């Protein structure tokens, strides 16, 4: 198909498609004669994934590029690919957070094996510091309970990967569940908050 | 304190403080004589909250402004304030999503009372459409299980609000748990994913 067909199939403007190509988010088409470039269903699929990560997942172009590079470079090591995806989407805003020991102790108590270099460790320590700075540290008194329910969600994510057969399918599912899974959990949690906040609801 | 003291107390540059004031995120100080403006501990507290929402929570300036307006306008109705906070932080990217019925049925099955106007309903329907478009609808076969664990997290959030005494404290805790709670759950879930992805880990 031509670039115009790719645009119509995905709803993405041609100028945006060219921008994504310049940024390395989408491979170029095959040259098919003078002034013609041809695109395949693989381009449609990749373009839909890029749009989902950017528009729905809220990733930056840089983070999207790193996530897609993790898919491309994965080799046979899916565990390492998962780490790269996590690295791309996890921003740590503090250097040497004070709550580092608290995170280490939490992981010890839970028995979770998490690499020292996983950026979520430092990001969580920084987040705990933020709660403390805001005077809301006690909202996290039940941090272990939060972790247990997060683990139950992660188990669902990992079960989702199990139903994928090939390495490429598992990789794409990893990206989708990591990025869009965050959005899924946030939305479900907000609706449950509204349902549970009955004590704050005005009397009918 | 002077604006320079406010800047030192929070680590926020003076130019950024003035920008937040122009955007309505931070009240102006009290005029205290010729060419002098005085700030209080309340400014320190508000400025730290703004930074946490923007830097850690990843909110836009517009969303931060709407969240803070929800605190300011709350009156005595905390339930309505929760709704306004949710409205400010929830973006729906599709009009008339096809999965609207599926979300209605999910909420019915779960017995959750969620207002028709809660933006999370439309956003979740749009997200389900996205999973379908990407060819990953089956990753959400266990959507009800995701919802049950999200509800367990929301119960922890609401329990956190219960330990706050005054209306203003409850409102601020609502904002913190809604926005920073998303980050907390994401980070815990990622670490649990790494721990659970043992099947993908190379043999030692």
């Amino acid at each position: 198909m031509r670039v115009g067909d790719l645009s119509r199939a995905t709803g993405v403007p041609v100028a945006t498609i060219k921008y994504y190509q310049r940024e390395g988010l989408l491979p170029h088409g095959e040259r098919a004669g003078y002034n013609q470039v041809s695109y395949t269903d693989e381009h449609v699929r990749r373009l839909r994934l890029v749009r989902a990560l950017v528009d729905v997942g809220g990733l930056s172009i840089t983070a999207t590029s790193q996530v897609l590079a993790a898919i491309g470079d994965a080799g046979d090591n899916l565990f390492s690919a998962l780490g790269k995806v996590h690295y791309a989407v996890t921003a740590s805003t503090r250097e040497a957070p004070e709550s580092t020991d608290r995170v280490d102790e939490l992981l010890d108590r839970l028995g979770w094996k998490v690499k020292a270099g996983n950026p979520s460790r430092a990001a969580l320590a920084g987040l705990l510091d933020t709660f403390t700075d805001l005077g809301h540290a006690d909202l996290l008194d039940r941090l272990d309970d939060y972790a247990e329910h997060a683990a139950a969600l992660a188990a669902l994510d990992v079960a989702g990967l199990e139903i994928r057969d090939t390495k490429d399918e598992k990789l794409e599912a990893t990206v989708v569940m990591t990025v869009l899974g965050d959005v899924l959990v946030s939305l479900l949690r907000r609706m449950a908050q509204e349902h549970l906040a009955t004590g704050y609801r005005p009397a009918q």
Side-chain angles (χ1 to χ4, degrees), chain A residues 9 16 22 48 51-52 69 91 93 103 122 148 153 162 179-180 190 193:
Chain A
T16 307
R22 285 197 302 276
R48 285 198 177 128
R51 285 300 263 199
T93 52
V103 172
E148 294 291 356
L153 291 164
E162 304 287 345
V179 179
L180 300 190
R190 277 178 210 154
Q193 283 173 346

Side-chain angles (χ1 to χ4, degrees), chain A residues 122-139:
Chain A
L124 178 59
L127 182 67
L128 300 184
D129 286 1
T130 299
F131 272 86
T132 301
D133 289 351
L134 293 173
H136 288 297
D138 56 348
L139 293 179

